[in-house]
Amino acid sequence: MNKMIIITAPSGAGKTTIVKHLLKVFPTLSFSVSATTRAPRPHESNGKEYYFISTDEFQQKIRNHEFIEYEQVYENQYYGTLHAEVQRLWSEGRSIIFDIDVKGALNLKKIFMNEAFSIFLKPPSFEILKERLLNRKTEDKASLNKRIKKAKLELKYQDKFDYVLINDKLEISLAEAENLVRTFLEIQ
Ligand code: ADP
Ligand code: 5GP
């Protein structure tokens, strides 16, 4: 059976950290690389974290129905899951892991149902979420405020996911995430 693991959370809750760990632990997992119109951060490269494309290219892909789902996650920043990416990985017999915003995660779960296991990462508190975003030092003030504002809304959707994982102590969260994935992928 084709399988996908959907990791979602407000920005700064720990998606990237946990997804990277799971990719290391499970060799049959592959990351679904999304398309985005946001600029690459230092150390990000095209085709690895994202396919970095222009807004024109993104709009062309929308018109061509190339996305399973897409969102304007932040003002002028589009992100989308490509049909071609999912088809390619499944055709290679891989299981797929997604790092995706809350709305996108709900959409994927609705489409893929039992093929998908969705995990909502919850920060221990709102204050800690802010602190993690600040410490990451990747956002300017405006972007930081946008992300924090959105996080308040996103936390309201936690009950709609298969599992809510509180990302407090990192080692414990990583072990918990591993167990969930191992069970879903039926790995002994
Ligand atoms: P997201 O991908 O959800 O935006 P990140 O994985 O980039 O979040 O995590 C945000 C920041 O918080 C990063 O600097 C990361 O190293 C840190 N972080 C993640 N999980 C924890 C944790 N359990 N305890 C402390 N810091 C964490
Ligand atoms: P960042 O800019 O921090 O990499 O990501 C911003 C947000 O966009 C994160 O919540 C991330 O999970 C989400 N995201 C990444 N790819 C996709 C995608 O393909 N679709 C949707 N809906 N959200 C995505």
Side-chain angles (χ1 to χ4, degrees), residues 7-11 15-16 33-36 38 41 44 50 69-71 73-74 77 79-82 98-105 136 139 147 150 154:
I7 307 285
T8 193
S11 182
K15 293 183 294 296
T16 311
V33 180
S34 297
T36 185
R38 89 144 157 74
R41 293 176 185 146
E44 285 183 335
Y50 287 106
E69 63 75 42
Y70 68 91
E71 298 287 335
V73 178
Y74 303 105
Q77 289 184 4
Y79 297 79
T81 307
L82 295 156
F98 291 82
D99 171 336
I100 189 167
D101 89 317
V102 171
K103 256 197 197 162
R136 196 173 68 184
E139 313 307 316
R147 283 165 190 254
K150 192 162 188 252
E154 288 171 327

Side-chain angles (χ1 to χ4, degrees), residues 15-174:
K15 293 183 294 296
T16 311
T17 308
I18 289 183
V19 166
K20 275 194 181 154
H21 175 78
L22 293 171
L23 284 165
K24 269 194 213 142
V25 172
F26 297 103
T28 56
L29 264 188
S30 287
F31 182 61
S32 170
V33 180
S34 297
T36 185
T37 61
R38 89 144 157 74
R41 293 176 185 146
H43 312 299
E44 285 183 335
S45 55
N46 191 37
K48 188 160 174 261
E49 288 80 6
Y50 287 106
Y51 300 112
F52 294 99
I53 62 176
S54 67
T55 304
D56 280 352
E57 281 175 280
F58 201 100
Q59 277 163 353
Q60 187 60 49
K61 287 187 187 301
I62 296 174
R63 284 194 292 274
N64 293 346
H65 306 285
E66 289 181 49
F67 290 114
I68 299 177
E69 63 75 42
Y70 68 91
E71 298 287 335
Q72 185 177 7
V73 178
Y74 303 105
E75 208 183 335
N76 296 325
Q77 289 184 4
Y78 289 86
Y79 297 79
T81 307
L82 295 156
H83 282 289
E85 183 78 0
V86 169
Q87 274 160 15
R88 178 177 67 80
L89 294 172
W90 273 348
S91 73
E92 290 170 4
R94 320 277 308 157
S95 296
I96 309 178
I97 189 159
F98 291 82
D99 171 336
I100 189 167
D101 89 317
V102 171
K103 256 197 197 162
L106 288 172
N107 285 330
L108 286 184
K109 179 67 192 180
K110 210 186 270 171
I111 296 166
F112 293 100
M113 299 193 287
N114 289 343
E115 289 175 313
F117 185 72
S118 58
I119 302 174
F120 183 95
L121 296 182
K122 191 178 169 182
S125 71
F126 207 71
E127 286 312 306
I128 290 179
L129 180 69
K130 276 199 224 168
E131 217 176 273
R132 285 185 189 166
L133 265 178
L134 271 173
N135 289 343
R136 196 173 68 184
K137 297 189 172 77
T138 51
E139 313 307 316
D140 59 27
K141 205 163 178 206
S143 171
L144 196 76
N145 285 338
K146 272 194 261 178
R147 283 165 190 254
I148 289 168
K149 196 169 154 209
K150 192 162 188 252
K152 282 201 178 136
L153 194 87
E154 288 171 327
L155 284 167
K156 297 192 178 142
Y157 288 89
Q158 56 185 282
D159 296 341
K160 302 204 179 294
F161 296 95
D162 294 321
Y163 195 89
V164 177
L165 197 166
I166 299 172
N167 183 18
D168 189 358
K169 292 265 174 294
L170 186 60
E171 313 81 81
I172 295 174
S173 306
L174 296 178

